[in-house]
Amino acid sequence: MEREVLLKQVISQEAQDRHDAHKHHASSRPLSEDYELIGLLGEVEFGKLTGQMVDLERRLEGDKGVDFVVPLNFTVDVKTARKAFHLIHEEGKGFADIYVLAKYDDEAKTTELLGWEWGAVLSRAPVKDFGYGIKNHYIPADKLKPMSELIKRTNRYGQFSAVK
């Protein structure tokens, strides 16, 4: 139990540090309460699934949409939301190779990886403003590939590697 409490404290502190580091940047879009924490929890869940460490390097200019690198050097961006109805990516921004959608449940305090899609497919998806004045490419969550397929594909080519 003590280990779990410590882990939660470390994750919360990292989320706060990320928030503080990007507080006044034009690219910072705090659209919901605890958005950095929610995003980090999705990354942690992906890290648990793949055996990778979450990238804790402080980057003042952000991570350029890359949370992990999996075998064959594919970049992965984990998108986490409370209302994870769609996998979204802002129009006009660069694309990672792979996108993973995660859902955070405030009541249960759990994070679930819902599915994934290639960045090239997401880049051709329709664009919509979901009410924040930001146009996003989007794919409905129920149209995403299962996580088991991503794990199967990447395990064929060796162990996952941490972001450098």
Side-chain angles (χ1 to χ4, degrees):
M1 183 64 166
E2 214 173 284
R3 183 177 174 188
E4 191 174 308
V5 169
L6 179 60
L7 180 60
K8 286 180 182 179
Q9 289 173 343
V10 169
I11 291 168
S12 292
Q13 185 61 55
E14 175 62 17
Q16 186 62 52
D17 291 349
R18 287 181 181 191
H19 171 76
D20 293 345
H22 301 109
K23 191 178 338 193
H24 302 293
H25 292 184
S27 63
S28 178
R29 292 212 165 71
L31 300 175
S32 66
E33 184 180 344
D34 294 330
Y35 74 101
E36 288 283 7
L37 177 60
I38 301 306
L40 183 56
L41 289 170
E43 293 173 32
V44 168
E45 199 62 30
F46 185 82
K48 284 186 209 174
L49 179 68
T50 62
Q52 288 187 275
M53 292 292 297
V54 171
D55 181 15
L56 299 178
E57 186 174 330
R58 190 70 56 237
R59 292 181 176 84
L60 294 180
E61 299 303 316
D63 64 11
K64 307 284 189 252
V66 175
D67 296 324
F68 296 90
V69 177
V70 296
L72 296 181
N73 223 21
F74 287 121
T75 57
V76 177
D77 190 4
V78 180
K79 302 289 192 176
T80 311
R82 289 178 170 101
K83 298 176 182 177
F85 304 122
H86 300 92
L87 174 63
I88 63 171
H89 181 70
E90 187 172 340
E91 181 181 43
K93 294 220 173 176
F95 281 83
D97 298 311
I98 297 168
Y99 285 84
V100 173
L101 179 62
K103 179 181 180 180
Y104 180 74
D105 183 320
D106 280 301
E107 193 172 306
K109 299 206 180 313
T110 58
T111 309
E112 177 185 6
L113 300 173
L114 301 178
W116 70 281
E117 187 52 84
W118 294 106
V121 173
L122 184 56
S123 74
R124 295 187 304 269
V127 174
K128 179 178 179 179
D129 179 344
F130 287 91
Y132 297 98
I134 301 165
K135 292 182 178 180
N136 289 285
H137 293 274
Y138 71 96
I139 298 174
D142 64 353
K143 302 294 185 203
L144 298 175
K145 294 172 174 46
M147 290 306 298
S148 59
E149 182 182 319
L150 179 59
I151 297 306
K152 185 172 141 184
R153 284 173 174 266
T154 54
N155 282 343
R156 261 189 274 174
Y157 301 102
Q159 296 299 311
F160 285 91
S161 61
V163 171
K164 299 287 182 223

